[in-house]
Amino acid sequence: MAAPATPNTETEVLSLEEKFAGIASPDTREGYEGYIIAADKAEEVVKYIRDDLGYDYLSSVTGVDYLEDDHMEVVYHAFKTEGGPALNFKIQTDRENPRVPSITHLYPAAEFQEREAYDMYGILFDGHPDLRRILMWDDFEGWPMRKDWKEAYYEAETKPFKNRWPGGDVYRIEANNPFNKNVVYPEGFNLNGYNPLGDKTLYDMLNQYDRGGSNLKTDQIVVNIGPQHPSTHGVFRMVVRLDGENVNALKPVFGYLHRNHEKIGERNTWLMNMPYTDRLDYLTSMCNNHAYALTVEKMMGLEVPERADYIRVLMNELTRIASHLWATGFLLNDLGAFQTPMLYLIKNRELILDFFEATSGTRMMCNYSRFGGVAYDLPDTLRDENTMDWLHEMIHERLPRGLEELERFLSNNEIVRTRAIGLSPVTAQEAIALGMSGPMLRAAGVPYDVRRAEPYGIYDRFDFDIPVGTTGDVYDRYLVRVNEIRESIKILKQCLRDMPAKGDIMSVKPGYTHKVPAGEAYGRGENPKGELGFYCVSKGKGHPYRYHIRAPSFINLTGLEKLCVGTKIADVVVVLGSIDIVLGEVDR
Amino acid sequence: MYGLGIIRGMGITLKHFVDTYVDDLRFLGKRYYDESSLKVRQGPKAAGAFTVQYPEEKLAMPERFRFVPFLLFEENEDGTTQDRCTSCGICSKVCPPQCIWIERTKDPVTKRPVPEPKDFHIDIDICMNCGYCAEFCPFDAIKMDHDYELSSYDRTSAHVFNKERLSKPVSYYASIRPNFFLAEEKVRAEENKKKAKQAEAKAKAKGGGKAKAAAPAPAAAAPAAVAEAPAPAAAPAASAADLDAAAKKKALAEKRKAMIAARKAKKGK
Ligand code: SF4
Ligand code: SF4
């Protein structure tokens, strides 16, 4: 476990290039920032970054394949939990035999992300405790995110495809059946005799675990929860090893919904990615749009008009409320209060979605932000009522009333308290080390919120508190969400009060082609589930060269095993519910 | 007292239970199957059961609601129809999942493209309802529909919509999106006026003899004449579209010429 960050204040802390001359050199490529670190000294440098420079929170790890320059790169973004911008560092490796030292022992948050980089790029992380494929299945051949890899439905390097117009010779894309002409079976492969190795590896690994303290002679069994289990919130599988009712090891298995979102994103134009971001965490599409737009605006140096900024905040906070209502409702579902509380809660969510629908045209797949603003202004009316009156009624009356009812209904309910208090606690240090974000991190007592730590948009104008918990147990996570709804209502009230009544919603002329200057950018926003980050690399073309998503649901799962070990099997689903994952984002 | 929290919770459940019956009184028995009460039941002042009895009850779609796009055609007074689409291809270029397929018509004699699609396909299984095609079509020829009941028995044969299946009259569009329609018509009328004037001025300046050399698409000259005549509000749309396409083509040709000249000059050095 990583030690807590203690920035050295007495002696002056040397900057990276002073301390490690020749080992950590500034990245001088046009539009790039941060440092390039020599692979053989990485251990030392990363330790210095964490302990002496105080970057205790590792946010994102990802690979990039620079095909023309014949090398690959692992890109890290670390932050300080007290706030401020990222420290971006990279380790380069060659394409033939890509090897990079693992930093999982320094930052446990890297565990799943390194596995993902291995899965997608074939980069081997020396010293990683469990380097297996994570999103693709175990026997998959090839490295899907490499630039020279072509997917099953491959048509061309980038969109738009030439045969759509003016030829228009239509065929169903499904006719390019992956089991037909696009996929090649290995020599002598027989589908009938095929026996996947992956599960055996997994079970063997679980069986290595120590039997733990009990001296009763009990049988230990391995149980699969999922992939299709109602409380796994999607197609998600947990393989648990049980001693009686106690969980003593757990491995999550996912990727069932994997569609190589990032590869699609690199074939798309910049703008085309906007509606795809809706499909990540499909409960919070407004926030996803915003975070992606922020990243590209950062690269293009675009400003956003005042009114559009207010509208974005309005949408973000309504989304946060809707998402937290949903999460709380389903947590109660998992706790055994089947359906009733959830239905009470999503009533208000329905109303919020009505507003999204009237504004953007769709309830969930909003596709609402554009680079430099938003797609449409607020509508004049909503169900024959003036929109501003409607919003006023919602924000000043209905939502606070709903929140109060929720608190009366659940917060002091003895059954909820007995089940949730003390269940799977996590300390602040552990939460930081495991890269948790959002309500998970705050419930553990770390007041870290991107809206405060590195304010984006106009969040610095609002007065709001950051609710934190103390023990990080399931009840704290519940309380943090409830209190965040309260803070969001507070922001919404200010937003409604200060929003300019009229004004531009786009700072540039709307267009569908965007030339993004060459370079890289990491943009992030505080999503209801945690920090949603986009790492984009542009080569000055009409489409991103690299498009990576730091998905909060995915990284929050890094700690799932830690959270579940020691609990009872019946509580595992509750712990999972309290993390609040959406598989669209986990699997991408 | 232990159990107090549970009792309070039960109280709330009871309140939710009673609310609907109380609400029944508010509507005097007209709570269900009634347009006007449905609106209230789904508004921020709603109380009691929230359910919409679909398909007996259907919520009115907000104007901006978007589902699979459709193509617009003008209904002329003489009973003929005219597609608004000029097959410029922009929608198929912006479409994120690339599900629009457009076949351009070619003039059988000159072999030049005619601004009108021969066929137009959208694979609605792939369409992600993003609305970009409608947002970026320069001719207001493709719009997002409100019709969301598209299920069929066989998705492999029924879900690639062709031009015929996609086309709907402008009047339908005006009925589902009245505000958008009015705003767009206003802009279109102004543009038409401007273009007609420009075309007139150009025609005068160039004179008859040069016309052939000046216009790369000679077909465009005829619609220009139509546009000048005071036509009913809907009719000039198509000709304006032609005009626009012609102007664009001309600009493109000029640009190309300039590029070739520049390249030649470079080579010369
Ligand atoms: S953008 Fe409009 S005019 Fe151009 S091809 Fe598409 S529908 Fe037709
Ligand atoms: S709505 Fe989007 S996905 Fe559907 S046809 Fe139009 S551009 Fe393509």
Side-chain angles (χ1 to χ4, degrees):
Chain A
M1 211 82 338
T6 44
N8 199 338
T9 40
E10 284 127 44
T11 58
E12 192 161 337
V13 185
L14 295 172
S15 76
L16 221 47
E17 63 257 60
E18 285 167 336
K19 171 93 181 168
F20 297 100
I23 297 167
S25 46
D27 192 344
T28 50
R29 288 169 291 179
E30 175 93 33
Y32 284 72
E33 52 187 30
Y35 299 89
I36 296 174
I37 295 173
D40 48 346
K41 292 276 172 20
E43 164 96 28
E44 219 178 296
V45 181
V46 174
K47 220 172 172 159
Y48 185 75
I49 289 173
R50 188 192 69 178
D51 296 341
D52 297 81
L53 296 181
Y55 289 91
D56 50 349
Y57 183 77
L58 182 73
S59 170
S60 151
V61 181
T62 184
V64 189
D65 178 13
Y66 289 100
L67 185 63
E68 291 99 80
D69 309 335
D70 201 27
H71 73 256
M72 288 210 259
E73 213 168 83
V74 183
V75 185
Y76 307 82
H77 285 87
F79 291 90
K80 295 179 182 170
T81 37
E82 66 228 52
L87 178 74
N88 158 349
F89 53 97
K90 308 176 180 91
I91 303 179
Q92 294 184 333
T93 173
D94 68 305
R95 288 189 88 245
E96 292 307 307
N97 180 23
R99 287 197 102 88
V100 159
S102 165
I103 59 165
T104 298
H105 57 293
L106 295 171
Y107 288 110
E111 183 183 342
F112 281 10
Q113 304 193 59
E114 284 181 353
R115 269 178 74 187
E116 190 191 331
Y118 161 71
D119 193 3
M120 295 292 132
Y121 287 96
I123 300 172
L124 289 167
F125 289 88
D126 289 325
H128 191 286
D130 178 20
L131 198 63
R132 285 178 298 129
R133 288 207 179 258
I134 189 163
L135 295 174
M136 307 305 290
W137 60 101
D138 296 79
D139 306 82
F140 181 79
E141 278 271 332
W143 311 108
M145 282 305 293
R146 287 198 186 188
K147 283 286 170 189
D148 47 7
W149 192 86
K150 295 188 172 46
E151 63 275 25
Y153 292 97
Y154 176 80
E155 289 193 61
E157 277 306 312
T158 50
K159 292 174 185 174
F161 301 141
K162 295 276 179 297
N163 59 356
R164 302 298 197 264
W165 174 87
D169 201 359
V170 66
Y171 61 89
R172 294 179 69 244
I173 301 298
E174 260 177 77
N176 284 350
N177 191 317
F179 300 111
N180 201 351
K181 52 185 173 188
N182 278 337
V183 160
V184 192
Y185 287 117
E187 197 87 29
F189 179 82
N190 176 11
L191 194 64
N192 293 329
Y194 176 63
N195 213 344
L197 262 179
D199 282 356
K200 192 179 169 316
T201 328
L202 191 65
Y203 298 146
D204 284 351
M205 193 158 53
L206 281 173
N207 282 328
Q208 293 165 20
Y209 279 81
D210 208 340
R211 290 199 154 206
S214 158
N215 35 10
L216 281 177
K217 265 219 155 97
T218 47
D219 261 352
Q220 305 219 354
I221 49 168
V222 172
V223 176
N224 278 291
I225 307 181
Q228 285 152 330
H229 185 283
S231 68
T232 53
H233 298 222
V235 194
F236 179 76
R237 175 173 156 216
M238 291 178 283
V239 191
V240 290
R241 185 150 181 271
L242 297 176
D243 179 359
E245 284 211 31
N246 295 327
V247 176
N248 62 9
L250 179 147
K251 290 274 172 204
V253 181
F254 41 83
Y256 299 96
L257 208 61
H258 179 63
R259 57 229 183 248
N260 220 346
H261 181 104
E262 294 177 7
K263 189 84 172 183
I264 299 173
E266 288 167 20
R267 302 236 185 273
N268 281 347
T269 63
W270 291 97
L271 186 70
M272 281 179 189
N273 278 335
M274 191 62 81
Y276 279 90
T277 62
D278 293 339
R279 276 91 178 155
L280 287 167
D281 176 352
Y282 36 76
L283 301 175
T284 64
S285 67
M286 285 285 187
C287 295
N288 304 349
N289 290 170
H290 187 190
Y292 177 57
L294 275 176
T295 314
V296 178
E297 279 158 10
K298 203 168 169 183
M299 298 176 93
M300 294 173 71
L302 280 183
E303 292 284 324
V304 178
E306 177 103 347
R307 183 169 162 84
D309 254 337
Y310 273 98
I311 293 178
R312 282 179 176 185
V313 170
L314 184 73
M315 295 302 180
N316 277 358
E317 295 312 315
L318 284 172
T319 305
R320 195 176 321 277
I321 293 173
S323 171
H324 282 350
L325 290 174
W326 189 259
T328 311
F330 272 91
L331 174 64
L332 265 292
N333 237 1
D334 293 341
L335 274 166
F338 194 61
Q339 296 287 341
T340 309
M342 185 193 78
L343 287 174
Y344 292 171
L345 295 181
I346 63 175
K347 252 188 193 180
N348 284 338
R349 176 177 177 267
E350 283 301 306
L351 289 170
I352 292 173
L353 296 194
D354 278 347
F355 174 60
F356 290 171
E357 187 180 35
T359 310
S360 73
T362 307
R363 300 178 82 78
M364 288 170 79
M365 304 296 138
C366 298
N367 186 18
Y368 187 56
S369 284
R370 296 288 179 273
F371 309 133
V374 292
Y376 318 93
D377 208 330
L378 301 183
D380 294 332
T381 57
L382 209 174
R383 291 209 201 293
D384 294 347
E385 203 177 324
N386 181 304
T387 309
M388 288 327 265
D389 293 345
W390 188 96
L391 277 174
H392 199 275
E393 170 81 21
M394 268 308 267
I395 291 167
H396 285 270
E397 306 290 333
R398 176 126 198 160
L399 290 175
R401 211 173 344 129
L403 178 68
E404 194 238 352
E405 186 186 90
L406 161 68
E407 286 243 82
R408 247 186 320 138
F409 191 32
L410 297 171
S411 295
N412 285 317
N413 182 305
E414 284 81 0
I415 303 175
V416 173
R417 290 174 69 98
T418 325
R419 285 287 308 269
I421 291 180
L423 178 59
S424 93
V426 59
T427 66
Q429 281 92 339
E430 284 167 346
I432 294 171
L434 286 164
M436 288 177 183
S437 55
M440 291 292 288
L441 182 63
R442 291 189 283 273
V446 186
Y448 185 75
D449 186 317
V450 182
R451 291 174 294 172
R452 200 35 80 63
E454 196 187 8
Y456 54 98
I458 50 166
Y459 271 111
D460 47 0
R461 295 187 198 173
F462 297 101
D463 168 37
F464 64 101
D465 295 326
I466 298 173
V468 287
T470 45
T471 57
D473 59 8
V474 171
Y475 191 69
D476 269 357
R477 282 170 222 150
Y478 159 81
L479 273 189
V480 163
R481 290 206 176 92
V482 171
N483 288 330
E484 272 181 23
I485 295 179
R486 179 169 301 118
E487 295 306 317
S488 285
I489 294 175
K490 210 155 115 190
I491 297 176
L492 284 170
K493 282 181 182 164
Q494 297 168 45
C495 185
L496 221 51
R497 187 192 65 203
D498 301 340
M499 183 152 72
K502 277 207 176 63
D504 285 338
I505 49 159
M506 282 292 280
S507 61
V508 288
K509 220 171 141 263
Y512 55 90
T513 49
H514 299 269
K515 278 267 175 303
V516 178
E520 61 169 4
Y522 183 72
R524 54 183 191 148
E526 184 68 35
N527 254 36
K529 312 257 178 334
E531 174 186 331
L532 175 72
F534 285 90
Y535 174 70
C536 293
V537 175
S538 170
K539 288 220 163 182
K541 302 255 175 61
H543 47 86
Y545 184 77
R546 178 78 179 102
Y547 164 78
H548 172 71
I549 294 137
R550 183 232 190 258
S553 296
F554 170 66
I555 292 163
N556 281 348
L557 281 176
T558 312
L560 184 67
E561 176 164 21
K562 159 86 198 43
L563 293 175
C564 288
V565 167
T567 63
K568 301 257 187 282
I569 174 87
D571 287 333
V572 167
V573 291
V574 179
V575 174
L576 184 72
S578 75
I579 301 179
D580 184 19
I581 57 166
V582 163
L583 268 303
E585 185 178 70
V586 174
D587 293 342
R588 281 157 295 145
Chain B
M1 193 183 83
Y2 198 76
L4 204 65
I6 295 177
I7 292 169
R8 260 201 216 117
M10 288 300 193
I12 287 175
T13 313
L14 190 68
K15 184 174 159 288
H16 275 265
F17 179 73
V18 175
D19 268 354
T20 311
Y21 296 101
V22 175
D23 212 44
D24 260 345
L25 295 179
R26 168 153 70 135
F27 292 107
L28 290 172
K30 285 221 179 113
R31 194 166 191 272
Y32 298 98
Y33 313 117
D34 186 292
E35 275 285 313
S36 54
S37 56
L38 186 60
K39 263 177 204 151
V40 182
R41 261 165 58 208
Q42 292 288 317
K45 293 200 181 76
F50 211 61
T51 329
V52 178
Q53 308 288 338
Y54 180 85
E56 285 81 21
E57 289 181 317
K58 280 181 193 171
L59 277 173
M61 287 296 125
E63 199 175 338
R64 293 180 189 178
F65 175 73
R66 55 182 148 86
F67 207 57
V68 170
F70 67 101
L71 288 171
L72 273 66
F73 64 81
E74 308 274 2
E75 296 157 302
N76 298 336
E77 276 178 355
D78 57 4
T80 56
T81 60
Q82 170 76 46
D83 294 328
R84 270 192 182 182
C85 175
T86 64
S87 71
C88 70
I90 288 178
C91 56
S92 86
K93 277 181 213 147
V94 295
C95 175
Q98 294 285 291
C99 66
I100 304 183
W101 307 71
I102 305 166
E103 192 181 342
R104 198 160 55 184
T105 318
K106 277 199 178 144
D107 190 307
V109 186
T110 59
K111 295 276 182 276
R112 279 185 211 281
V114 177
E116 174 177 307
K118 191 161 172 203
D119 211 342
F120 198 108
H121 287 99
I122 294 182
D123 188 335
I124 63 157
D125 281 344
I126 292 182
C127 172
M128 68 202 301
N129 311 323
C130 67
Y132 279 167
C133 48
E135 202 172 318
F136 294 110
C137 171
F139 302 105
D140 292 323
I142 188 166
K143 294 289 171 190
M144 302 306 282
D145 207 343
H146 280 193
D147 179 15
Y148 51 85
E149 289 165 326
L150 294 178
S151 51
S152 67
Y153 283 104
D154 181 11
R155 83 188 166 86
T156 55
S157 61
H159 284 184
V160 180
F161 284 9
N162 61 9
K163 185 168 128 187
E164 198 195 332
R165 174 73 176 75
L166 286 168
S167 293
K168 292 187 180 179
V170 171
S171 52
Y172 170 75
Y173 175 58
S175 71
I176 59 167
R177 294 183 181 229
N179 292 329
F180 279 79
F181 174 73
L182 287 180
E184 284 160 11
E185 282 312 299
K186 219 166 137 196
V187 176
R188 287 162 68 83
E190 261 162 37
E191 268 176 18
N192 285 347
K193 234 191 250 162
K194 224 193 278 166
K195 264 176 215 151
K197 243 185 218 156
Q198 271 174 1
E200 201 179 339
K202 225 181 246 172
K204 263 185 200 155
K206 295 244 163 83
K210 276 184 187 170
K212 208 174 148 200
V226 181
E228 275 170 47
S239 38
D242 288 351
L243 262 182
D244 199 83
K248 266 195 190 146
K249 243 176 250 161
K250 201 174 150 191
L252 216 71
E254 260 158 28
K255 209 170 155 194
R256 208 171 292 141
K257 252 186 228 159
M259 260 162 67
I260 293 170
R263 216 174 291 149
K264 269 187 190 156
K266 227 180 188 178
K267 259 190 197 162
K269 273 177 199 169

